[in-house]
């Protein structure tokens, strides 16, 4: 009854590449209780944070009742995954005041008051993702993954006396150590699955090998000979997902070469369309979680004060000026459209996660994601009644299809503390927290 099994940390190694495997049946010893194996939910916990800038239009975001039976327009793309989702209303970030774009971004994951400075003596707070990374990321290939959609980071003073670093960096390893994020899919991909290097080195490596998977074919065959049919199907599906990401990156690189953009400094391999770029970055997160390469992700879906336009959804106006709506119905409608567009990208990602089987559930069941903004009403630059979503967490009985509305303003740090505790990082407090959000999870043990 003691059949051999694979280690959860098994890697497929090739030339300049190492590919982690998803959870396989062969990684679970025979006649062993699930709770004592790698399939145990508490050992598979992951957490991700998605940031959207410049608040929202609450009239088109906030559900009327306590359930999500009727989703408002900005949240309508979440219809298929609402059973895995809780909408949270009336949270705030008191330490983000006096109110700015810089502090909206810097306080979202730190709940700390950023030092007002235009120089290099910046000071914020350790962000919640990095607190999680120290605990649940200690044994993974990457402790955490910091992603964004903007390829260039500005320097100097960006917002009312605050250094640009506060808008550039969503994650901080310490109060004085902001972490840079990566927006280039090729660089992210190689950090996950292969060696990096300069752009010239990366292009040369691409020419030498069509795919990193080609270099590990023998390893793939060896592993597949050791596992059953179900595991072989899982391996094939996972590796095909990697191949598809590679194919899309290569197509983007080819498109960039054949149709050069005016911005000559733009790195090769970034899809021209915003949605295509975002979906690729989400796919990389899914692969990183599926392969247990990292368990902690932060993703800045757009920058504060961004002037990005969205003509593909009928909003050719720059994002930032539109958010200073002055209660103008036309501008408010455009804010709602942008909110809906961003949410649709998140919804597609959640659907993909929920389609990946893992252990006694899905990848989404064993993960938690928090999505939202550090700003409420962008016209007022306030940090109250923030737009917040929490998804996943079924393995810990998170209550889906719910709208949780606090009677009095609730510190966002209370939610951070709650999610930390649920992913195996037990703390009594975080930043300015006053307690935990107990209603988010069903206390009944299944």
């Amino acid at each position: 009854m003691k059949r051999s099994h694979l280690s959860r940390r098994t890697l497929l190694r090739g030339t300049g590449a190492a590919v982690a495997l998803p959870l396989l049946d062969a990684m679970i010893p025979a006649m062993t209780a699930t709770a004592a194996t790698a399939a145990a939910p508490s050992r598979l916990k992951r957490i991700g944070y998605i940031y959207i800038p410049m608040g929202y239009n609450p009239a088109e975001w906030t559900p009327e009742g306590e359930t999500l039976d009727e989703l408002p327009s900005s949240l309508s793309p979440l219809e298929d995954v609402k059973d895995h989702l809780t909408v949270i209303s009336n949270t705030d970030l008191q330490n983000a005041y006096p109110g700015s774009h810089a502090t909206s971004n810097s306080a979202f994951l730190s709940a700390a008051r950023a030092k007002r400075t235009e120089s290099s003596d910046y000071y914020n707070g350790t962000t919640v993702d990095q607190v999680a990374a120290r605990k649940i990321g200690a044994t993974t290939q990457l402790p955490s993954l910091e992603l964004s959609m903007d390829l260039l980071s500005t320097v100097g003073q960006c917002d009312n006396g605050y250094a640009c670093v506060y808008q550039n960096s969503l994650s901080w390893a310490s109060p004085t150590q902001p972490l840079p994020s990566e927006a280039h899919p090729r660089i992210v991909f190689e950090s996950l699955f292969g060696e990096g290097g300069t752009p010239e080195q990366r292009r040369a490596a691409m020419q030498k090998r069509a795919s990193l998977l080609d270099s590990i074919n023998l390893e793939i065959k060896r592993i597949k000979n050791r596992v059953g049919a179900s595991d072989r199907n899982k391996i094939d599906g996972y590796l095909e997902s990697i191949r598809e990401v590679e194919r899309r990156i290569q197509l983007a690189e080819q498109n960039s070469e054949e149709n050069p953009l005016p911005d000559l400094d733009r790195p090769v391999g970034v899809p021209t369309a915003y949605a295509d770029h975002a979906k690729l970055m989400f796919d990389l997160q899914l692969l990183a979680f599926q392969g247990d390469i990292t368990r902690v992700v932060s993703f800045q879906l757009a920058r504060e004060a961004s002037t990005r336009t969205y003509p593909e959804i009928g909003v050719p106006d720059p994002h930032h000026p539109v958010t200073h709506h002055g209660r103008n119905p036309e501008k408010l409608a455009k804010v709602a459209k942008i909110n809906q567009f961003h949410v649709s990208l998140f919804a597609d990602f959640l659907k993909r996660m929920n389609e990946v089987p893992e252990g006694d559930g899905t990848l989404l069941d064993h993960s938690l994601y928090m999505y939202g903004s550090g700003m409420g009403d962008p016209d007022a630059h306030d940090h109250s009644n923030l737009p917040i979503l929490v998804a996943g967490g079924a393995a810990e009985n998170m209550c889906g299809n719910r709208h949780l509305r606090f009677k009095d303003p609730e510190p966002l740090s209370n939610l951070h503390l709650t999610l930390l505790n649920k992913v195996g990082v037990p703390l009594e407090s975080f930043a300015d927290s006053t307690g935990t959000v107990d209603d988010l999870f069903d206390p009944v043990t299944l």
Side-chain angles (χ1 to χ4, degrees):
M1 302 303 294
K2 295 182 179 179
R3 64 175 173 83
S4 61
H5 65 282
L6 297 176
S7 166
R8 181 67 179 96
R9 306 244 57 82
T10 300
L11 296 175
L12 301 177
R13 299 187 182 277
T15 305
V19 176
L21 289 170
L23 179 67
L24 305 175
D25 294 338
M27 293 172 180
I28 305 172
M31 301 301 292
T32 304
T34 298
T37 72
S42 61
R43 295 176 61 187
L44 288 171
K45 284 295 184 172
R46 311 165 182 86
I47 192 161
Y49 302 91
I50 310 295
Y51 186 79
I52 56 169
M54 295 172 284
Y56 69 133
N57 177 355
E60 300 297 331
W61 176 287
T62 310
E64 292 186 2
E66 295 182 355
T67 68
L68 307 182
D69 293 340
E70 294 186 15
L71 289 170
S73 66
S74 289
L75 301 184
S76 59
L78 294 160
E79 177 67 31
D80 292 342
V81 291
K82 64 184 181 183
D83 288 341
H84 304 273
L85 182 81
T86 296
V87 178
I88 301 179
S89 296
N90 204 17
T91 58
D92 66 9
L93 276 172
Q94 286 298 316
N95 281 335
Y97 286 101
S100 73
H101 293 288
T103 56
S104 294
N105 192 79
S106 66
F108 183 65
L109 296 185
S110 72
R113 191 175 300 279
K115 178 181 179 180
R116 190 165 185 169
T117 178
E118 299 178 9
S119 188
S120 59
D121 59 336
Y122 42 75
Y123 194 94
N124 186 23
T126 302
T127 50
V128 67
D129 62 313
Q130 293 307 299
V131 174
R134 291 172 187 170
K135 177 73 174 180
I136 64 176
T139 59
T140 54
Q141 177 182 324
L142 297 177
S144 62
L145 191 61
E146 294 76 43
L147 305 176
S148 63
M149 287 289 294
D150 294 281
L151 296 164
L152 299 176
S153 295
T154 51
V155 296
Q157 186 272 129
C158 278
D159 185 27
N160 295 322
Y162 287 95
C164 294
V165 66
Y166 293 122
Q167 286 174 230
N168 293 340
S169 296
L170 190 61
S171 300
W172 292 63
S174 76
T176 58
Q177 187 181 356
L179 296 178
S181 59
E182 183 53 65
H184 197 296
R186 167 60 68 179
I187 296 175
V188 176
F189 184 80
E190 290 182 346
S191 72
L192 296 174
F193 301 111
E195 59 188 5
T198 65
E200 292 76 18
Q201 290 171 328
R202 293 194 299 272
R203 282 194 291 270
M206 238 188 96
Q207 293 170 359
K208 290 180 179 178
R209 56 185 176 89
S211 164
L212 70 86
L213 296 182
D214 294 337
S215 69
I216 56 173
N217 276 333
L218 290 177
E219 279 287 285
I220 293 172
K221 291 178 181 177
R222 183 181 65 81
I223 292 295
K224 290 175 72 172
N225 286 335
R226 296 180 56 189
V227 301
S230 174
D231 281 344
R232 287 196 293 271
N233 289 335
K234 288 181 183 178
I235 292 172
D236 286 341
Y238 178 56
L239 297 180
E240 182 57 36
S241 296
I242 295 176
R243 181 84 71 181
E244 174 62 17
V245 171
E246 283 189 321
R247 187 188 68 81
R248 290 166 59 191
I249 292 173
Q250 290 164 2
L251 284 176
E253 289 174 338
Q254 181 180 351
N255 180 64
S256 297
E257 292 174 355
E258 294 177 354
N259 303 284
L261 298 173
D263 181 5
L264 298 179
D265 293 328
R266 189 170 187 179
V268 172
V270 179
T272 303
Y274 172 83
D276 291 342
H277 185 186
K279 289 175 181 177
L280 189 49
M281 300 303 282
F282 272 124
D283 283 349
L284 289 166
Q285 293 175 58
L286 188 150
L287 289 172
F289 276 170
Q290 192 178 357
D292 202 32
I293 297 168
T294 191
R295 297 174 185 172
V296 181
V297 173
S298 65
F299 184 27
Q300 192 183 53
L301 201 49
R303 279 173 55 87
E304 283 292 338
S306 168
T307 56
R308 186 189 299 275
T309 62
Y310 298 94
E312 63 269 47
I313 60 168
V315 184
D317 318 63
H319 188 179
H320 183 201
V322 164
T323 63
H324 289 284
H325 48 73
R327 299 297 160 193
N328 180 296
E330 184 179 350
K331 287 188 174 181
L332 281 167
K334 290 176 179 178
V335 171
K337 279 188 175 182
I338 295 172
N339 291 154
Q340 183 188 60
F341 184 40
H342 288 158
V343 164
S344 72
L345 299 170
F346 184 50
D348 288 343
F349 173 59
L350 296 180
K351 292 175 190 176
R352 290 280 311 281
M353 290 190 72
N354 199 42
E355 292 168 355
V356 178
E358 184 180 67
D360 56 356
T362 69
L363 197 65
L364 182 59
D365 292 336
H366 296 114
S367 306
L368 280 170
Y369 256 90
M370 191 184 95
Y371 175 106
S373 179
M375 188 174 286
D377 180 0
D379 196 49
H381 275 202
D382 72 19
H383 307 289
S384 61
N385 195 23
L386 305 174
I388 301 295
L389 310 174
V390 177
E396 284 291 337
N397 305 325
M398 197 190 90
C399 302
N401 192 26
R402 286 189 60 199
H403 175 210
L404 181 59
R405 190 199 312 260
F406 296 109
K407 180 179 179 181
D408 300 312
E410 183 90 355
L412 187 63
S413 53
N414 286 2
L415 178 58
H416 286 321
L417 179 63
T418 304
L419 300 186
L420 280 177
N421 289 340
K422 286 297 180 180
V423 296
V425 187
L427 294 178
E428 294 184 1
S429 64
F430 175 75
D432 61 349
S433 65
T434 59
T436 55
V437 185
D438 297 328
D439 290 342
L440 189 59
F441 294 85
D442 188 337
V444 177
T445 302
L446 298 181

